[in-house]
Amino acid sequence: MQQLALPDSVPAHVQVWRLDLDLAAPVADADWAVLAEDEGARALRYAKAEDRVRYATTRAALRRLLASRTRRRPQDLRFFVDARGKPQHAQPCGADLRVEFNVSHAGSHALIAISDCGAVGVDIERCDPSLDVPSLELQVLSARERQMDAGRQPGFFERWVAKEAVLKAVGVGVADHLQRLSVEQPAAGDDCRYRLHDAEPAWPRLGAWRLDAPAGYAAAVACALHDEPRPFLRRAAAAQC
């Protein structure tokens, strides 16, 4: 597992890790040991071994990352689904740090995003050349995006992961809201930050950024914006890891 270097304009309270998974190897005993009973049962229900590895290995990594933030044992963490249907973990009594997280996996890679200050979403997708992109665009693109000049348009898979990351951060159904959000290329010199336009005034103010991804993949992170970015804090935090 490696922590990704994020663009300086991403708020310092957001961090992202990438797991490069060996889908042919069994789930490690140490990973099984930190999963809750229901998580282990869910992993075993997957018919394909690679799906079992993706879920169990990523969930174990998430538990370890959250445990290091909350000073608890990974196996002691408890999760629940909030009113929006978004997974959360139960905070210890008297906790003064609200930690939010989001997870995505595709192919042999997974991303885990954690925020100490508000909503966060992350997405990674394999850029499958066999997909019928023109048909998918009918389901994904907003009216605004269909009218954009070609120079303002990110590639389809870039746009897809940016939208998913934003909608996961908000905690709304992705399929129902893809066409309510428009994503444009980052402005010149804007450090990988996409320009967003949405049709939902009730949504919080959000930012979305392109992430470095393995060859053949696209990835993005999104988070609620509360203050100005503090890149010096990010560099200091990275130096301590």
Side-chain angles (χ1 to χ4, degrees):
M1 179 168 58
Q2 66 178 96
Q3 185 176 350
L4 298 185
L6 302 183
D8 279 347
S9 56
V10 179
H13 56 76
V14 174
Q15 295 178 313
V16 180
W17 286 262
R18 191 180 87 203
L19 286 74
D20 299 319
L21 306 170
D22 182 354
L23 301 180
V27 177
D29 290 344
D31 290 343
W32 283 120
V34 301
L35 297 182
E37 183 177 350
D38 62 319
E39 292 170 329
R42 176 175 172 177
L44 292 172
R45 286 197 295 271
Y46 285 108
K48 295 182 178 180
E50 57 262 36
D51 292 333
R52 196 155 52 245
V53 171
R54 285 188 196 96
Y55 174 77
T57 304
T58 305
R59 194 71 171 190
L62 171 65
R63 282 181 167 273
R64 293 187 179 101
L65 289 171
L66 291 175
S68 70
R69 294 295 185 93
T70 57
R71 299 181 181 180
R72 303 168 73 188
R73 298 194 308 163
Q75 58 268 41
D76 291 340
L77 298 177
R78 294 294 177 265
F79 295 89
F80 67 96
V81 177
D82 67 16
R84 300 168 296 170
K86 188 174 182 180
Q88 304 282 352
H89 77 97
Q91 304 288 324
C93 292
D96 57 1
L97 180 65
R98 180 69 184 181
V99 181
E100 298 217 14
F101 66 89
N102 197 239
V103 172
S104 178
H105 38 68
S108 56
H109 305 282
L111 295 178
I112 299 173
I114 293 180
S115 168
D116 295 332
C117 185
V120 67
V122 71
D123 193 54
I124 183 169
E125 300 288 345
R126 189 168 73 88
C127 304
D128 187 346
S130 69
L131 290 179
D132 183 356
V133 170
S135 295
L136 288 172
E137 286 180 336
L138 296 176
Q139 306 171 44
V140 172
L141 300 189
S142 67
R144 180 189 181 97
E145 286 171 318
R146 294 189 187 100
Q147 297 169 3
M148 281 182 194
D149 297 332
R152 294 165 57 196
Q153 298 180 14
F156 174 76
F157 290 101
E158 269 197 67
R159 185 183 286 135
W160 186 350
V161 295
K163 288 191 178 201
E164 287 226 26
V166 168
L167 297 174
K168 290 169 73 177
V170 176
V172 297
V174 171
D176 295 333
H177 293 82
L178 284 170
Q179 295 185 359
R180 301 189 184 192
L181 176 65
S182 300
V183 177
E184 296 184 29
Q185 287 279 28
D190 206 12
D191 200 21
C192 300
R193 179 175 171 178
Y194 294 107
R195 288 175 286 183
L196 304 177
H197 303 271
D198 64 71
E200 297 290 344
W203 288 357
R205 191 166 68 95
L206 296 156
W209 292 262
R210 179 192 297 128
L211 294 178
D212 288 337
Y217 289 79
V221 66
C223 70
L225 300 175
H226 302 292
D227 51 22
E228 292 301 313
R230 293 168 292 163
F232 66 93
L233 289 181
R234 178 182 310 290
R235 287 193 288 270
Q240 296 171 6
C241 294

